[in-house]
Amino acid sequence: MSLQPFLDRLDQLQSDAQNAFDGAADADALEAARVTFLGAKNGQFKDVQKMLGGIEPADKRAAGMRLNDVKQAIHTAFETAQSQLGGGGSSQIEPGFDPSLPGRRPRLGHIHPITQTIDHLTEIMGRMGFEVAEGPEVEDPFHNFVALNIPEDHPARDPLDNFYLATAGTAVDIGEGDALLRSQTSTVQIRVMQERQNSAPGQPIRIISLGRVYRPDAPDATHFPMFHQMEGLFVDEHVTMANLKTVLRVFANNYLGDDVEIRFRPSFFPFTEPSVEVDFLWNGTWIEFGGAGMVDPNVFEAVGYDPEKVSGFAFGLGVERLCMRRHGITDIRDLYSGDLRFLQQF
Ligand code: FA5
C-alpha cells in the first residue's frame, strides 16, 4: 500500500473520532465513541494500525510517525470531551473525598450593631418626617467652625482638640483652609442650609444626618476617638423649644421605651442660643446623650437665611451612647474591638 492513501485514512479517522467525541451528549455516549475508535479489539484505530504492515518499507517510518501523532490526538480529544462532560463518573472523585459528608456551611456576615442602630434611628426619625442628609468626613474650617459661629481664636479649633490633616508636618489646604476630620455632624446643618438656599428657597427643612466624627479623646468606657452622631435640624417659621423637646421625647420613647424621661440642662454651644444638654432618665439615672438648642441667628446669617423670618432647632446625639443604653453595653470599646463573640450577640 502506498503512503498517501494511508495518510488520508488517518486524517479521516482523526476527524471522525473528534466529531464523535464532541457530539457525545453524556458519559455513556462518550464511552461508546471511545470503544468505536480506541477499542482494543475492534476499534477503528486498531484497524488502521494493522494496515501499517502493508506499507512500502521506504515509507514505513513516515507512516509510523503520523500514526503515533493521530493516536495521541484522538486520546487528547477524548480526555477533553470527558472533562467537558464534568468528569467521567466515580473515577473522577478525588481520593479522600467522602460524598456522604454534609456540605460546608458558608459563614454568614453580620450587620454591625452601630449600623443596626443607624438604621433604627433613621426609621424612627423618618416617621416624624425627617429625611436623611449627608456630608463629608473631611471638612474645611468654614463648615466645621466659621459658619457655626466658632471664631478663629476659639479653643474648639485648637490643633490638640482636632484631627487636622497634614503631610510631612504641613497642613493640607483643600482650597478653603486647613482640612480636618469633622469633629461634629453640625457641619451638615451648614451644608444643607446652603444647598436648600439654591434648590428650595423658603421651604422648611427637616433633616437628620448620621455619620462618623473624630476627636482626639482618650478611649475609655464612654469615649472613643471615632464615634457617630445623629444631627437633627428643623427650620421653619415659628419653631420653638417646645417643638425640640417634643421631637426628642418622642424619639427617646420610641428608641428606649415609654418609661424614659427627658431633661434639658442649660449649656452653651456657639451655634445655638439658647443651648441645652439633653439627658434621658432611664432606670433611675440621668444620662447625657447630646446637645441641642435653637439655631443661633449668626448661623442663619452665615448661610444667607433671615433670622427675622425663620427660626429652627438643632440637636446632636451620640449614636454609640444610644446603642449602649438600649442593649446594656457597658464599654464603648467593645463596639470597635472586632471581637466576633461580642458582635454576634446583636
Ligand atoms: C456636639 O458635638 C454638638 N455638635 C451637639 C449639638 C448639635 C448641639 C446641634 C447643639 C445643636 P457634644 O460635644 O456634647 O456636642 O457631643 C454630643 C454627644 O456626642 C455627647 O453627648 C456624647 O453622647 C457624644 N460624644 C462626644 N464625645 C464622644 C466620644 N469621644 N466618644 C463617644 N461619644 C462621644
Side-chain angles (χ1 to χ4, degrees):
M1 185 181 189
S2 57
L3 181 62
Q4 196 51 53
F6 179 74
L7 296 182
D8 291 347
R9 178 74 190 92
L10 276 177
D11 285 346
Q12 184 64 45
L13 178 67
Q14 183 177 344
S15 96
D16 287 352
Q18 179 81 55
N19 288 339
F21 296 155
D22 289 349
D26 55 27
D28 287 345
L30 184 62
E31 177 58 13
R34 188 190 68 77
V35 170
T36 303
F37 291 95
L38 295 171
K41 269 194 179 166
N42 296 318
Q44 291 192 19
F45 182 79
K46 269 269 162 344
D47 291 345
V48 180
Q49 196 176 21
K50 283 180 199 150
M51 291 158 63
L52 188 62
I55 296 288
E56 303 290 325
D59 293 332
K60 247 195 187 127
R61 193 176 133 77
M65 282 170 61
R66 183 83 182 101
L67 186 80
N68 277 338
D69 288 348
V70 168
K71 184 179 181 184
Q72 187 59 47
I74 295 176
H75 273 283
T76 306
F78 170 71
E79 281 160 15
T80 307
Q82 194 177 40
S83 64
Q84 278 168 359
L85 281 178
S90 59
S91 63
Q92 294 296 305
I93 293 179
E94 283 173 39
F97 175 74
D98 181 351
S100 66
L101 287 174
R104 285 194 199 123
R105 258 174 220 285
R107 281 161 61 114
L108 290 182
H110 186 79
I111 298 180
H112 193 278
I114 289 300
T115 311
Q116 291 182 39
T117 305
I118 287 174
D119 290 346
H120 194 173
L121 304 183
T122 304
E123 190 258 328
I124 293 172
M125 296 305 293
R127 278 191 267 138
M128 284 192 274
F130 285 78
E131 57 179 312
V132 173
E134 289 190 14
E137 289 176 29
V138 173
E139 266 296 4
D140 56 63
F142 177 77
H143 291 92
N144 204 78
F145 300 124
V146 178
L148 287 167
N149 202 26
I150 304 174
E152 188 83 54
D153 53 354
H154 194 280
R157 297 178 68 157
D158 194 310
L160 292 178
D161 289 331
N162 294 283
F163 287 113
Y164 283 93
L165 302 190
T167 44
T170 311
V172 174
D173 187 331
I174 51 173
E176 319 246 3
D178 296 344
L180 77 163
L181 297 178
R182 67 180 177 188
S183 56
Q184 50 186 349
T185 44
S186 300
T187 53
V188 185
Q189 292 181 33
I190 304 304
R191 290 191 174 273
V192 168
M193 286 194 278
Q194 283 179 318
E195 190 266 317
R196 294 290 165 90
Q197 277 289 63
N198 297 321
S199 66
Q203 295 298 309
I205 297 175
R206 206 187 292 191
I207 59 104
I208 49 165
S209 186
L210 287 132
R212 294 189 191 94
V213 300
Y214 303 83
R215 294 180 191 176
D217 289 348
D220 63 21
T222 52
H223 293 84
F224 209 70
M226 185 283 302
F227 59 101
H228 295 72
Q229 289 186 333
M230 175 169 74
E231 192 79 12
L233 176 68
F234 193 140
V235 179
D236 203 345
E237 289 170 10
H238 314 300
V239 179
T240 69
M241 285 284 265
N243 301 137
L244 168 63
K245 199 163 190 178
T246 302
V247 165
L248 287 176
R249 197 189 53 243
V250 170
F251 163 74
N253 290 151
N254 270 278
Y255 186 64
L256 294 173
D258 285 340
D259 53 341
V260 172
E261 282 184 43
I262 181 168
R263 174 176 84 177
F264 279 178
R265 241 178 326 118
S267 185
F268 174 79
F269 294 99
F271 36 91
T272 45
E273 181 59 34
S275 302
V276 293
E277 300 285 352
V278 184
D279 300 337
F280 296 156
L281 179 64
W282 201 65
N283 286 350
T285 323
W286 287 105
I287 299 151
E288 182 208 306
F289 281 89
M294 301 306 292
V295 177
D296 193 290
N298 288 347
V299 173
F300 278 135
E301 275 166 11
V303 290
Y305 278 71
D306 182 353
E308 297 298 326
K309 289 203 180 126
V310 293
S311 56
F313 67 70
F315 59 85
L317 306 181
V319 173
E320 279 77 2
R321 303 240 177 121
L322 288 164
C323 170
M324 289 164 71
R325 270 294 132 194
R326 186 177 156 93
H327 296 291
I329 298 168
T330 50
D331 195 322
I332 190 172
R333 290 167 293 194
D334 287 336
L335 288 167
Y336 298 114
S337 65
D339 187 339
L340 293 181
R341 291 168 305 177
F342 171 80
L343 294 174
Q344 278 167 348
Q345 297 174 55
F346 303 98

